[in-house]
Amino acid sequence: MRALMRGLTDAEFERRYGQEEQCLVALMASRVQAGMSCPACGHGRSYLCGRRVGCTRCNRRWSVTAGTVMAHTKLPLATWFRAMHAMSSTKQGISAVELGRRLGVSYPTAWYLHKRLRHAMTERESRYMVGGPGTDGSAPVVEADDVYLGGERNQGSGPAGKTRVIAAAERHPRGRMGRVAMQVVSGFTAAAVRAFCDARLAPAAPVHTDGLRAFNAFGGAGRSHQRTITANKRPSRERTSAFFVLNTAIANLSTAIKATHKAISAKHTPDYLGAFCWTTNRRRDMVGMVPALCRAIATSTSLTRRNVFATDTVPIG
Ligand SMILES: [Zn+2]
């Protein structure tokens, strides 16, 4: 099991994805698997001609990267794949500065790559729900809590300038951590909690929270909701205790932010959280990270420079 917690070695990565042609084949395979069809006639069968894809019915051609986060890229696919490897082979991820250094590209190029890959992870992650039955049929309990990120330290102990996040983690029997989901919300209100439930919680998943008033909304729609008043109590360090897995996930998030960012801006927090959850939820198959990220790219939507630099994702709720 330990061995799986490490990603591909650099040598193995080079063997599988070191050549432009190998990356092209891998990306094309993921796009076909994701159901790529001709933009002109909707036909589902295509052929590859360099970096262009052609329709076997009407002969329309388009780029293998069209319509994804990689759209309009001028970089070699091998550079993208090296970025995918660098960003997914450790639990903390890496900063855009470090990515630029490893790839030998400028900081703006690295930043934009970094942003787009995190966006693909976030889009993929937003389609998953937590709290569904495990592969062994066990039903996890979803622990959820409010988290404040970023903001100015010297504005007192209140949440001024901070980004509000609902964090949730599956607690399986014997305290095993399952999937995590984290989402920026406009405030800790009943409406935001209901929006979080609709977007990220499996129907009827049991939820366990502290006594925050807005969290009563977790109890709607026939969902079982357990509340434990935790005010002023130190969290228990027992693995099987309430909120142990959630507190572990939040501590890991904090470590990852410190390892890669001086400060995390509110604008980029949604993609930061999406990428963190994507990586956390795939931690048991680190070797499969590059193909998984390739699949995430194949199902992503394009992100133009304009919407990267304009106001980002609107918080839910
Ligand atoms: Zn066609």
Side-chain angles (χ1 to χ4, degrees), residues 16-217:
R16 293 189 199 182
Y17 304 106
Q19 304 295 320
E20 187 70 7
E21 184 65 26
Q22 293 171 306
C23 301
L24 185 59
V25 168
L27 181 61
M28 180 66 178
S30 292
R31 293 217 62 183
V32 168
Q33 196 186 11
M36 177 173 54
S37 57
C38 171
C41 75
H43 190 54
R45 298 200 35 198
S46 50
Y47 60 91
L48 201 51
C49 178
R51 254 165 88 157
R52 310 285 289 169
V53 181
C55 172
T56 57
R57 187 196 278 161
C58 73
N59 214 27
R60 167 77 170 258
R61 302 237 178 134
W62 64 94
S63 166
V64 70
T65 63
T68 72
V69 285
M70 291 171 72
H72 310 296
T73 183
K74 293 182 179 67
L75 293 169
L77 298 181
T79 302
W80 276 92
F81 273 70
R82 279 165 60 214
M84 288 153 64
H85 176 55
M87 284 178 64
S88 67
S89 56
T90 63
K91 269 203 307 188
Q92 281 85 21
I94 62 169
S95 67
V97 173
E98 173 68 9
L99 183 65
R101 196 189 63 73
R102 288 205 211 169
L103 300 181
V105 300
S106 71
Y107 176 70
T109 299
W111 185 89
Y112 195 33
L113 258 174
H114 197 253
K115 172 73 188 172
R116 286 189 286 175
L117 288 176
R118 284 199 318 207
H119 190 75
M121 295 177 189
T122 303
E123 282 193 330
R124 181 81 174 171
E125 205 51 33
S126 69
R127 293 193 290 270
Y128 287 110
M129 292 188 155
V130 292
T135 43
D136 56 355
S138 67
V141 171
V142 176
E143 298 179 341
D145 206 355
D146 51 316
V147 177
Y148 293 90
L149 294 179
E152 296 296 323
R153 266 178 208 283
N154 55 5
Q155 286 178 319
S157 58
K162 291 185 180 291
T163 304
R164 292 160 175 82
V165 172
I166 294 180
E170 295 174 347
R171 183 180 71 235
H172 285 271
R174 295 186 300 283
R176 183 172 68 80
M177 189 200 294
R179 303 181 65 84
V180 299
M182 297 182 185
Q183 188 116 23
V184 173
V185 290
S186 53
F188 297 114
T189 61
V193 169
R194 279 193 293 271
F196 180 85
C197 291
D198 290 345
R200 308 309 310 276
L201 273 188
V207 178
H208 191 178
T209 67
D210 66 15
L212 190 74
R213 181 192 289 262
F215 286 169
N216 288 337

